[in-house]
Amino acid sequence: MNWTRKHLLDIESLSADEIRVILDTTRAFKAVGERTIKKVPALRGRTVINLFVEPSTRTRISFELAAMRLNADVINFTAETSSLTKGETLLDTGKTLEALSADIIVVRHSAEGAPHLLSRVVDCSVINAGDGAHEHPTQALLDTFTMFEKKGDVSGLNVTILGDILYSRVARSDIIAFQKMGAEVVVSCPNTLLPDEWQPGSILGQQTGFENLEIARNVDEAVEGADVVMALRIQQERQEAGHLPSLREYSDRWGINSRRMAMAHDGALLMHPGPMNRGVEIDSNVADGPHSVILPQVTFGIAVRMAVMSMVAGG
Ligand code: CP
């Protein structure tokens, strides 16, 4: 199939074939990253601006590295020292960056839909690097790519996602991507971290917006026999907002540790999008253990972002 999209705004609107095309392109760029000279001229003469209005380590740096490896000129916008602090709107900022010759704007913003809105007012390409609790499409693509690389396929895998489902843009994008690729997805977390309308213990369709998404009340049952276990970050503010009695209790009841990991399938992958709270949602002995593919996830993110940027730029 031919790729015709100018923006990458979410996973929801992508077809399974489009996801496969991105992953195929990612494979080619992964090979580039394994060479001594890791650069190709795909975006030579183009300008990429990273417009991050929320903190980020891995997403911002891997977009920057990916753009550099494609030979683009890269500018990192710093929100704290920009005219956003003087009241300039995101849309005016985006239009200003385009007037300064941006070909691709990579946006991270706390407001859901911010990249979608920006894509309607600028002519250049917009890539969503995480918008509020909505979506984080390149994270889902790199997570899916990691599963293909480490397991050979995603179709038929049992994937268990543990953690803050309610507020997690990664959970939302991952569930959509994994299901589109044919995985069986189970989520498990305290009821307070599930959307109100999701009922534990049921196979849900309409209510969650996800076909055949299983909500497991018991975390041990959710992990048993899983091919992939993904832990999501528990944010400190969840406890402060009364969603959790204590981080210690979350760790005991829902955290992934060596006892729980031993219940998963032999050769199961342990994934985490980062940043991790060691000792809360994940114990150090499994985060650094033989099942963990947390650092390969980060590395694969560069090739995924090279693929996405070259594709939206028409490469
Ligand atoms: N996974 C992720 O989005 O990490 P950063 O917030 O460090 O970019």
Side-chain angles (χ1 to χ4, degrees), residues 1 11 49 79 81 97 107 110 126 130-131 147 152 162 164 186 207 270 272 294-295 313:
M1 66 156 294
I11 294 291
I49 301 190
T81 54
L97 298 179
V107 191
S110 57
V126 175
D131 62 324
M147 284 156 59
L162 306 174
D164 187 350
V186 179
Q207 286 167 300
L270 174 62
H272 193 303
I294 295 167
L295 292 177

Side-chain angles (χ1 to χ4, degrees), residues 15-204:
S15 68
D17 280 345
E18 285 176 307
I19 294 174
R20 279 190 204 97
V21 170
I22 297 172
L23 300 180
D24 287 345
T25 311
T26 298
R27 263 171 223 114
F29 283 120
K30 175 177 169 272
V32 171
E34 288 160 359
R35 303 196 309 224
T36 312
I37 296 173
K38 298 176 170 53
K39 285 201 170 194
V40 288
L43 291 186
R44 181 181 290 156
R46 310 282 191 98
T47 302
V48 175
I49 301 190
N50 285 324
L51 173 49
F52 278 56
V53 189
E54 255 197 358
S56 167
T57 297
R58 63 225 86 216
T59 310
R60 194 193 60 73
I61 291 176
S62 73
F63 265 112
E64 183 176 356
L65 264 174
M68 289 164 80
R69 288 187 183 179
L70 295 169
N71 257 291
D73 297 320
V74 194
I75 306 287
N76 289 311
F77 173 95
T78 310
E80 297 76 27
T81 54
S82 76
S83 291
L84 284 173
T85 60
K86 301 178 197 163
E88 187 165 60
T89 66
L90 176 73
L91 299 189
D92 281 332
T93 300
K95 286 193 263 189
T96 302
L97 298 179
E98 185 173 46
L100 289 166
S101 78
D103 295 292
I104 300 176
I105 301 178
V106 180
V107 191
R108 170 168 289 191
H109 202 282
S110 57
E112 283 130 49
H116 302 68
L117 208 56
L118 186 60
S119 72
R120 290 187 206 125
V121 302
V122 293
D123 286 328
C124 64
S125 294
V126 175
I127 298 174
N128 181 358
D131 62 324
H134 177 225
E135 281 228 31
H136 193 346
T138 57
Q139 180 70 44
L141 291 167
L142 75 88
D143 290 340
T144 310
F145 185 78
T146 303
M147 284 156 59
F148 270 107
E149 285 289 302
K150 299 292 181 184
K151 295 302 241 178
D153 201 348
V154 172
S155 182
L157 291 183
N158 293 306
V159 181
T160 296
I161 301 178
L162 306 174
D164 187 350
I165 308 296
L166 181 59
Y167 293 97
S168 175
R169 56 192 172 210
V170 176
R172 187 174 156 72
S173 290
D174 272 348
I175 293 167
I176 300 169
F178 299 162
Q179 289 191 332
K180 284 187 179 188
M181 291 295 100
E184 303 291 328
V185 184
V186 179
V187 300
S188 190
C189 66
N191 287 350
T192 48
L193 293 180
L194 276 178
D196 283 347
E197 64 275 20
W198 295 22
Q199 297 300 314
S202 0
I203 305 289
L204 299 170

Side-chain angles (χ1 to χ4, degrees), residues 210-287:
F210 298 111
E211 294 292 326
N212 301 321
L213 176 66
E214 187 175 349
I215 316 292
R217 184 185 290 279
N218 184 304
V219 67
D220 289 346
E221 281 172 19
V223 170
E224 192 161 8
D227 299 298
V228 177
V229 178
M230 175 172 293
L232 299 174
R233 185 166 71 97
I234 292 294
Q235 298 168 35
Q236 191 80 34
E237 52 269 33
R238 300 294 165 252
Q239 187 189 349
E240 286 152 18
H243 288 92
L244 299 171
S246 73
L247 296 181
R248 172 74 185 272
E249 184 170 337
Y250 181 88
S251 175
D252 288 346
R253 293 193 56 192
W254 306 95
I256 186 77
N257 50 33
S258 46
R259 180 186 71 77
R260 289 206 169 108
M261 204 58 219
M263 299 169 78
H265 201 274
D266 288 346
L269 305 180
L270 174 62
M271 301 176 73
H272 193 303
M276 290 185 278
N277 288 317
R278 289 172 182 262
V280 181
E281 73 271 5
I282 190 165
D283 273 6
S284 277
N285 51 5
V286 286

